[in-house]
Amino acid sequence: MSDLRTELKQSIIEQLNLEELELADIDNDEPLFGDGLGLDSIDALELIVMLEKDYGIKLTDPEQGKEIFASIDKMAEYIEANRTK
Amino acid sequence: MKNNRLYINGISSISAQQENAVFDGNINTYHQNIIPAVSPDYKQFIQPMALRRMSKAIRMGLTSAKIALKQAGITKPDAIITGTGEGCKQDTEKFLEAILNQNEKLLTPTAFIQSTHNTIGGQLAQYLECTGYNVTYTQNSASFESVLMDAQLLFLEDQEMNSILVGGVDELSKKMTSFMYLDHQLKEQEISNSNLLKTNSSGTITSEGAHFFSISAEKSEKTYAELIDVSVFQAKTSEDVSEKILKMLQLSNYTIEDIDLVILGNNGDNRFDHFYHHLQNGLFSEKPQLAYKHLTGDYKTVSGYAVWLACKIFKTGSIPEIFKLNGVTCQNPKTILLYNQYLGDNHSIMILNSN
């Protein structure tokens, strides 16, 4: 379980060009958007593509994103339950 | 009577040389034909969360613009005019590679959004909260000159216009820049940049950079120079260029005697440097002659460096030896003429005055 969380943090740092951050800088329960990590709507699009490309999960309802991308923990839980690869 | 005076009140240069260091004799030398620009500490100018998405062109453009505006004491210009010969190549390349690698599926938006030529102008508007006139010119190696021509027109047309941010930016990218070897724009053999003007072969060296200027219709104690005129034209022969220069001087009420110094765009390409040599041995044989592309490489908006150099010479009164093409000396030049061309196209003349 922790491996997936680490993998997600690595992907987020790499794909969203958060070069300044280390894995330890992102807490599993920290909000990814808003006051937490400070991601924005363009990042959300990048994360949606990442879910499909890396885990075979296609989000059809954009509203789902708010819940799924709330934190690393929430993302990992959703991926574990829905991944096809 | 509308105002047609155009004063440069803030300047900034990001190039293969550290800004200002050349005036202290600190020259960067390279043994490669594709030379990256020296990056300032971008974090001092751009928030890290915004910086993370920016390609080098955007980083250089924003930073250079901010430095120039700060010098001029301007927080928000009335207009922003940007020139770029080749646009945001790094993001274009990233996006095209993703299309190929992912078989046109699952493409992420960031690189695409930022791949257009007017990204830099747009980002500048966003950062400076400037909702005024905002135009980007892509006119090959006359892109920067086109910007200045538009600024002239803007001042003539709009009485309210007082402050315009103008600049030129171009960046390197891995694949597209290397294509310049294929059509012999770059020299086949890797050379030392300091030897560029001594070579006798085709092609040149290239680089990247950003040069921004805060210009105003009003002169102030911060003023570096007045732009007297700028012209872009096509010429078949060296004689055509001399003729054009004389005509432009006449139109500006100047004579050849009024020119104290010339800055030329020699780039070591033996197919086209005759345009410069003809002026060096003819019209300007008795004038101090400077060149700069052995320090900066050649790229589509590099003439911004020549304007920056002229402004620095006006302000400091000194002319570093590294730029000199001949031994003719000059104390405190008042009027400088700049001439440039690339591959025999887009010839340009600019006249700057320090008064």
Side-chain angles (χ1 to χ4, degrees):
Chain A
M1 187 181 283
S2 61
D3 280 352
L4 177 58
R5 284 164 174 74
T6 305
E7 184 181 294
L8 281 172
K9 288 178 192 178
Q10 275 170 339
S11 297
I12 285 173
I13 288 172
E14 192 182 313
Q15 295 194 25
L16 305 185
N17 299 314
L18 298 164
E19 297 148 4
E20 304 299 310
L21 293 184
E22 302 285 338
L23 293 181
D25 295 331
I26 308 175
D27 293 331
N28 288 342
D29 58 354
E30 182 185 8
L32 296 178
F33 291 83
D35 292 337
L37 206 54
L39 303 185
D40 59 23
S41 57
I42 295 175
D43 295 313
L45 289 169
E46 298 274 357
L47 291 178
I48 289 169
V49 174
M50 188 181 91
L51 275 192
E52 188 170 353
K53 199 160 68 178
D54 295 350
Y55 305 104
I57 300 171
K58 193 168 186 172
L59 289 189
T60 47
D61 178 7
E63 285 300 307
Q64 281 182 291
K66 281 182 190 166
E67 209 176 302
I68 297 164
F69 300 133
S71 66
I72 292 289
D73 274 339
K74 293 284 181 192
M75 273 184 84
E77 284 167 21
Y78 187 81
I79 290 167
E80 278 156 5
N82 295 282
R83 66 189 304 169
T84 61
K85 63 178 179 182
Chain B
M1 177 70 183
K2 295 199 173 185
N3 198 345
N4 62 352
R5 311 299 290 265
L6 195 155
Y7 297 100
I8 300 172
N9 292 343
I11 66 172
S12 171
S13 165
I14 295 175
S15 74
Q17 302 296 326
Q18 295 264 13
E19 185 166 16
N20 301 325
V22 281
F23 277 78
D24 301 326
N26 297 317
I27 309 297
N28 288 344
T29 53
Y30 304 89
H31 195 87
Q32 60 203 76
N33 293 353
I34 299 174
I35 304 168
V38 179
S39 291
D41 182 7
Y42 295 117
K43 283 180 224 150
Q44 283 185 22
F45 304 93
I46 305 166
Q47 291 164 348
M49 280 303 272
L51 195 58
R52 69 196 167 101
R53 285 202 194 109
M54 293 178 180
S55 68
K56 198 165 179 183
I58 304 170
R59 290 174 180 214
M60 291 190 298
L62 275 181
T63 302
S64 174
K66 283 190 162 189
I67 295 169
L69 288 172
K70 192 177 175 189
Q71 267 187 26
I74 300 289
T75 48
K76 191 196 290 186
D78 298 323
I80 297 169
I81 315 176
T82 315
T84 177
E86 297 181 345
C88 296
K89 285 193 298 190
Q90 289 180 3
D91 278 319
T92 302
E93 200 166 304
K94 203 186 284 182
F95 181 66
L96 291 174
E97 275 181 345
I99 289 177
L100 285 171
N101 295 339
Q102 288 156 225
N103 202 23
E104 299 186 24
K105 286 174 188 157
L106 297 173
L107 299 168
T108 55
T110 308
F112 174 67
I113 292 167
Q114 302 196 150
S115 64
T116 57
H117 280 54
N118 58 5
T119 302
I120 302 151
Q123 295 266 328
L124 280 169
Q126 195 179 342
Y127 258 75
L128 301 172
E129 297 179 349
C130 172
T131 54
Y133 182 90
N134 191 316
V135 167
T136 297
Y137 283 89
T138 297
Q139 188 64 34
N140 211 311
S141 50
S143 299
F144 177 69
E145 288 82 349
S146 303
V147 166
L148 295 180
M149 289 164 83
D150 193 32
Q152 282 182 317
L153 292 171
L154 210 51
F155 275 136
L156 277 171
E157 280 178 7
D158 190 343
Q159 283 278 32
E160 303 300 313
M161 192 65 62
N162 185 48
S163 163
I164 307 179
L165 174 68
V166 299
V169 190
D170 272 296
E171 70 180 356
L172 298 173
S173 69
K174 274 187 187 165
K175 292 225 166 64
M176 283 190 270
T177 302
S178 71
F179 292 162
M180 291 171 73
Y181 280 109
L182 301 178
D183 63 356
H184 310 292
Q185 290 187 67
L186 296 180
K187 290 192 181 295
E188 278 179 28
Q189 306 293 325
E190 300 287 306
I191 63 154
S192 170
N193 65 304
S194 51
N195 292 329
L196 179 71
L197 303 181
K198 297 172 199 155
T199 57
N200 183 19
S201 57
S202 64
T204 184
I205 58 175
T206 192
S207 183
E208 58 187 355
H211 298 90
F212 271 83
F213 303 87
S214 178
I215 59 175
S216 170
E218 285 170 23
K219 191 178 179 179
S220 77
E221 75 279 2
K222 290 171 179 159
T223 298
Y224 283 85
E226 179 183 357
L227 177 71
I228 303 299
D229 208 355
V230 52
S231 170
V232 176
F233 58 98
Q234 299 300 334
K236 283 239 182 256
T237 67
S238 305
E239 288 75 18
D240 291 344
V241 174
S242 296
E243 214 172 286
K244 200 79 186 178
I245 289 173
L246 288 171
K247 198 171 178 185
M248 183 172 166
L249 286 170
Q250 193 183 7
L251 284 171
S252 306
N253 293 322
Y254 277 77
T255 65
I256 202 78
E257 285 72 34
D258 295 321
I259 303 301
D260 298 317
L261 185 151
V262 290
I263 301 179
L264 303 169
N266 304 43
N267 72 358
D269 187 332
N270 66 2
R271 298 168 299 176
F272 301 102
D273 266 2
H274 64 87
F275 284 109
Y276 303 109
H277 297 155
H278 185 78
L279 293 174
Q280 287 176 257
N281 301 321
L283 215 50
F284 300 130
S285 61
E286 290 170 17
K287 307 286 180 186
Q289 303 163 357
L290 310 187
Y292 56 96
K293 289 179 183 171
H294 54 304
L295 302 179
T296 63
D298 204 345
Y299 50 95
K300 300 297 192 298
T301 49
V302 72
S303 49
Y305 188 89
V307 173
W308 174 88
L309 176 60
C311 289
K312 288 291 289 185
I313 290 171
F314 284 143
K315 206 69 156 182
T316 62
S318 73
I319 305 169
E321 286 294 321
I322 191 79
F323 294 107
K324 292 180 181 173
L325 283 172
N326 65 358
V328 182
T329 57
C330 170
Q331 297 294 319
N332 296 315
K334 299 284 180 214
T335 306
I336 298 180
L337 184 142
L338 286 61
Y339 165 67
N340 188 50
Q341 57 80 29
Y342 186 63
L343 298 176
D345 281 329
N346 294 311
H347 300 257
S348 71
I349 307 164
M350 292 182 268
I351 303 171
L352 294 164
N353 189 290
S354 67
N355 291 317

